[in-house]
Amino acid sequence: MLLALAGITTTVKAADCRINGGAWQRLNPGDTARLTVPVTVRLTPAPDRILLEGVNLECRFTEFGGAPSFEDYWATSTSAWVAGPKFSGQRTGVRINGTDQNNPIRAGIRVATIRNNGAGVPIAVTPFILLRNDPSNPIDVRTGDALGTLTLDQTNNYDSTRTRLLVTYNAANNFTVSPSTCTINNNNPIVIDFGSVHQRAIGTDPLTTSIRRDRTLTYNCSGPINSAITITYQGTPSSFNPNLLMMTHPNLGTALVRAGSAVRVGGSFLTRITNGVGQDTVTFALVTLAGSLPATGAVNGSGVLVMGVP
């Protein structure tokens, strides 16, 4: 009779987990499993934070066996979210099933209950950066940079084992984010329409070309802040002149001119906000490669202006 019972006993494994629909990975009972995942970061604004979306983590009860009432429980561990070095000095946290938890995050916050049915269950945890009410410098993340590590504990209702999962997020793309509530032109796009121009009217010097458009930049920050700020001209440099913004025509580029000086791509100019507001007039100038005659047709390009502090 004892041999017969032993023959029908099944082993209950700890858990399987996977990321972004990939292969399931076995987490054995009592182990600490480590996953490293490159993620394509999508920066999603929220009312007072920026979400670092891009990881779809799910876990399941590994295999059938034991009572149908068996369940696994996933919860935050001690130091549940440790942000990477690029976020040093920033206030961070995680959104768990739609509820925001600022660091330090207490251990034991339930993330998911997984029943003994083999179905995958989303582990809905999304890291975030809290916004500031001041013009902080933008965070520049490059492919491969460590974004942070998420640590979760798995317990259950059928034995005393505890399994730990550490997921390290590495950036799979470049991105720049400013953790500030300060805005340039209320975050509206700045459209520079040069209109229809003759190829021979386009100059080779940003300061003398006749194809120019002036724009007013307005700066606003929450609260009566008085501070020097930088406005950085970001984008892809032109192949023939790294000081110019690349356009779809290889022999054309766009310069940013302020106070009689051209600001190179990746460079910045110094200005100021007083009582939370400021303003500048800048010029965008269309420039051509010396000795070339651009072909006719539509031309466009795009860049980003980022507010920071010196």
Side-chain angles (χ1 to χ4, degrees):
M1 185 63 180
L2 290 175
L3 289 175
L5 287 173
I8 63 171
T9 299
T10 57
T11 301
V12 178
K13 305 295 184 183
D16 280 342
C17 293
R18 67 178 180 181
I19 294 176
N20 297 342
W24 291 100
Q25 179 165 328
R26 179 62 50 85
L27 279 63
N28 292 317
D31 284 355
T32 295
R34 291 174 171 84
L35 300 177
T36 298
V37 55
V39 298
T40 300
V41 177
R42 299 183 297 273
L43 301 176
T44 304
D48 61 349
R49 61 207 66 213
I50 298 171
L51 304 178
L52 302 179
E53 295 187 319
V55 175
N56 296 314
L57 172 64
E58 58 180 329
C59 296
R60 68 182 182 183
F61 205 102
T62 301
E63 61 186 35
F64 294 165
S69 60
F70 283 3
E71 294 178 336
D72 286 343
Y73 307 118
W74 286 92
T76 54
S77 182
T78 304
S79 301
W81 172 252
V82 177
K86 283 295 180 76
F87 304 128
S88 175
Q90 304 295 334
R91 294 176 298 160
T92 65
V94 291
R95 176 168 291 181
I96 299 174
N97 295 323
T99 300
D100 293 334
Q101 306 285 341
N102 296 346
N103 266 327
I105 301 164
R106 65 178 178 85
I109 299 174
R110 180 72 61 86
V111 177
T113 298
I114 301 179
R115 294 180 172 82
N116 183 9
N117 58 12
V121 176
I123 307 298
V125 180
T126 303
F128 59 74
I129 304 168
L130 283 166
L131 294 176
R132 295 177 169 180
N133 292 327
D134 60 74
S136 56
N137 275 320
I139 299 167
D140 186 33
V141 173
R142 302 290 93 187
T143 300
D145 285 348
L147 303 179
T149 299
L150 174 69
T151 304
L152 300 174
D153 287 334
Q154 178 262 329
T155 57
N156 58 64
N157 66 352
Y158 50 85
D159 64 31
S160 60
T161 59
R162 176 184 295 266
T163 302
R164 177 160 290 180
L165 175 63
L166 283 75
V167 182
T168 298
Y169 297 171
N170 288 339
N173 60 305
N174 300 333
F175 69 93
T176 301
V177 57
S178 179
S180 167
T181 55
C182 299
T183 62
I184 302 174
N185 287 22
N186 199 32
N187 279 336
N188 291 318
I190 303 170
V191 179
I192 314 301
D193 186 357
F194 292 113
S196 297
V197 300
H198 195 282
Q199 305 104 300
R200 298 188 185 277
I202 306 172
T204 59
D205 187 329
L207 302 183
T208 60
T209 180
S210 62
I211 311 304
R212 314 162 62 83
R213 296 290 185 270
D214 293 338
R215 290 293 184 271
T216 298
L217 305 180
T218 57
Y219 319 125
N220 289 277
C221 295
S222 300
I225 299 167
N226 299 288
S227 174
I229 60 172
T230 57
I231 304 298
T232 302
Y233 188 34
Q234 291 189 341
T236 303
S238 167
S239 60
F240 71 92
N241 186 338
N243 295 325
L244 306 176
L245 184 72
M246 184 181 72
M247 306 295 285
T248 52
H249 192 295
N251 293 339
L252 291 174
T254 299
L256 171 64
V257 179
R258 190 256 186 180
S261 298
V263 180
R264 64 177 177 83
V265 175
S268 62
F269 63 85
L270 186 66
T271 184
R272 188 169 186 84
I273 53 173
T274 302
N275 290 326
V277 297
Q279 182 174 292
D280 275 298
T281 297
V282 298
T283 300
F284 292 89
L286 189 63
V287 179
T288 187
L289 173 65
S292 70
L293 187 65
T296 59
V299 178
N300 58 69
S302 64
V304 179
L305 298 178
V306 178
M307 185 190 303
V309 291

